[in-house]
Amino acid sequence: HCFNIESEAELQRINEIAINNSQVAPISIRVNPDVNADTHPYISTGLKENKFGISMEKAIQLYLHAKKMQGICIKGLDFHIGSQLTSIRPILDALDRILTLNDQLLSRGVTIEHINIGGGLGVTYNDEIPPTPDELISAVKGKLRGSGLKIVVEPGRSIAANAGILV
């Protein structure tokens, strides 16, 4: 589908490899929206102090840089704020910030095709009551209505966590 970029060095390397192989690499940049996922601190990935993704401030410059690269084709905008989420509110808060960033990119001539909202929906281990995938997607579709943007989701834990047992 595309490479999810998390640093300028990674973008440079993928561009070099693509050019050396007479290819154009589709990319998406993972942005850190600085949103508290209200989950355990060890599995939180969406706050400014977390190590994952490009800051909102640096993302525009990295997209503008990527736009000029011969071996790169910009496809998307990604975020992932953490795991074991029991509310969709943090995801929607992050999406609001990402949509604002998308508007800023559009005003600078950078067009994306999809937004990857990551994953992180929780599962029931004890007494948690996580939202259903349908509840999440319905809310996200409501925010993206009329934008023409595709939704990409990485469901992970919500599919696999309760799929079996360890004997």
Side-chain angles (χ1 to χ4, degrees):
H1 187 247
C2 69
F3 292 98
N4 292 337
I5 304 298
E6 291 208 37
S7 71
E8 186 172 357
E10 186 178 17
L11 178 64
Q12 290 288 114
R13 184 71 180 127
I14 289 173
N15 182 55
E16 290 168 10
I17 292 169
I19 290 170
N20 288 339
N21 289 285
S22 301
Q23 299 286 320
V24 176
I27 64 104
S28 186
I29 295 176
R30 180 174 175 179
V31 176
N32 183 323
D34 193 25
V35 168
N36 187 348
D38 295 324
T39 190
H40 192 282
Y42 291 164
I43 53 177
S44 173
T45 61
L47 286 169
K48 189 176 281 189
E49 60 266 17
N50 297 135
K51 62 185 174 188
F52 300 103
I54 307 294
S55 72
M56 297 283 285
E57 298 78 26
K58 293 180 181 175
I60 291 174
Q61 296 310 314
L62 194 57
Y63 272 103
L64 292 173
H65 184 55
K67 184 179 176 187
K68 297 175 188 171
M69 294 179 153
Q70 182 182 350
I72 297 296
C73 177
I74 297 169
K75 293 290 184 179
L77 180 52
D78 298 5
F79 70 92
H80 185 304
I81 60 170
S83 295
Q84 191 54 14
L85 303 176
T86 56
S87 167
I88 60 173
R89 174 59 29 217
I91 296 171
L92 297 179
D93 290 347
L95 184 56
D96 285 340
R97 290 178 181 214
I98 293 299
L99 289 171
T100 297
L101 176 60
N102 183 53
D103 290 343
Q104 294 169 345
L105 291 171
L106 280 170
S107 73
R108 290 169 172 84
V110 177
T111 304
I112 64 166
E113 297 175 5
H114 74 262
I115 291 182
N116 182 332
I117 64 170
L121 268 187
V123 296
T124 303
Y125 290 120
N126 297 304
D127 59 354
E128 303 91 347
I129 303 173
T132 66
D134 192 44
E135 290 170 329
L136 172 63
I137 296 304
S138 293
V140 170
K141 280 183 174 179
K143 293 238 179 230
L144 296 182
R145 195 171 325 274
S147 70
L149 294 167
K150 295 176 187 166
I151 304 167
V152 175
V153 183
E154 300 173 32
R157 175 191 306 253
S158 64
I159 290 177
N162 290 329
I165 61 169
L166 177 63
V167 179

